[in-house]
Amino acid sequence: GAVVSQHPSWVICKSGTSVKIECRSLDFQATTMFWYRQFPKQSLMLMATSNEGSKATYEQGVEKDKFLINHASLTLSTLTVTSAHPEDSSFYICSAANAGTSGTSYNEQFFGPGTRLTVL
Amino acid sequence: DQQVKQNSPSLSVQEGRISILNCDYTNSMFDYFLWYKKYPAEGPTFLISISSIKDKNEDGRFTVFLNKSAKHLSLHIVPSQPGDSAVYFCAASRHPGEYISNFGNEKLTFGTGTRLTIIP
């Protein structure tokens, strides 16, 4: 159980276009989803925390108008990179936290397989 | 400001021997720590975790040790197997409280990762 999917797995786009990445929890409900970005040979950097039905909380230095996050349901969160530029090329990973299952592993987030974005 | 650090970017260990991966943190508010394993172009997979009220947690071949006074934790893998070759990230978070209905909602701060190579 606890499978998280991301779509697409990779995308190549032209500079200036917008790209939407979907993150789905397939077999559980996730009140909270997290979006990370990983540059080559670097750590996973948290971009934002997304709570179902409310506005996302962005980390310092992350532009909320550039990285639009929508968490419309307990199983889906989307990240839209608006007006993408080559410096946005990165590996984007989401994670989902199981909603209120008492007794399960504390703080276990389940990660998606990631989306490789290349902006030309 | 890298609050979680893994000072060894890479480590090579002979098959069958013990692998020891180290992690240091600076934020004394962290009280829950996790280790993740990651293959290229995939999301991290949870391995093992430890709460600050413990100094050791063991799960099969994996043992995590926590030294709170030194703000240091380590992951021991014994015996090491070729399939253990991957990048290992430690992560830290804050405990949301003793009684909480939603687990996993605290954000994770990741280290920079250590690439472990097991030599057959």
Side-chain angles (χ1 to χ4, degrees), chain A residues 24 30-31 33 51-53 70-77:
Chain A
R24 292 181 186 272
T31 53
M33 289 184 172
N51 291 299
E52 186 263 339
N70 184 283
H71 192 161
S73 77
L74 286 172
T75 59
L76 173 65
S77 176

Side-chain angles (χ1 to χ4, degrees), chain B residues 90-108:
Chain B
C90 66
S93 73
R94 296 175 57 179
H95 197 294
E98 183 64 28
Y99 301 104
I100 188 169
S101 60
N102 289 335
F103 289 83
N105 291 340
E106 293 300 304
K107 67 178 187 180
L108 298 174

Side-chain angles (χ1 to χ4, degrees), chain A residues 33-109:
Chain A
M33 289 184 172
F34 301 87
W35 286 95
Y36 296 83
R37 179 170 51 185
Q38 185 187 24
F39 292 106
K41 297 184 180 180
Q42 294 188 23
S43 181
L44 282 76
M45 299 301 296
L46 180 66
M47 298 175 66
T49 303
S50 166
N51 291 299
E52 186 263 339
S54 63
K55 290 184 178 180
T57 302
Y58 290 81
E59 294 299 300
Q60 193 173 11
V62 178
E63 300 174 59
K64 62 180 181 180
D65 294 329
K66 180 169 184 61
F67 299 99
L68 302 178
I69 292 173
N70 184 283
H71 192 161
S73 77
L74 286 172
T75 59
L76 173 65
S77 176
T78 61
L79 167 68
T80 301
V81 183
T82 62
S83 187
H85 290 284
E87 58 265 28
D88 298 323
S89 298
S90 187
F91 191 59
Y92 292 86
I93 306 174
C94 72
S95 70
N98 208 325
T101 305
S102 178
T104 58
S105 299
Y106 158 71
N107 215 350
E108 186 166 359
Q109 295 178 20

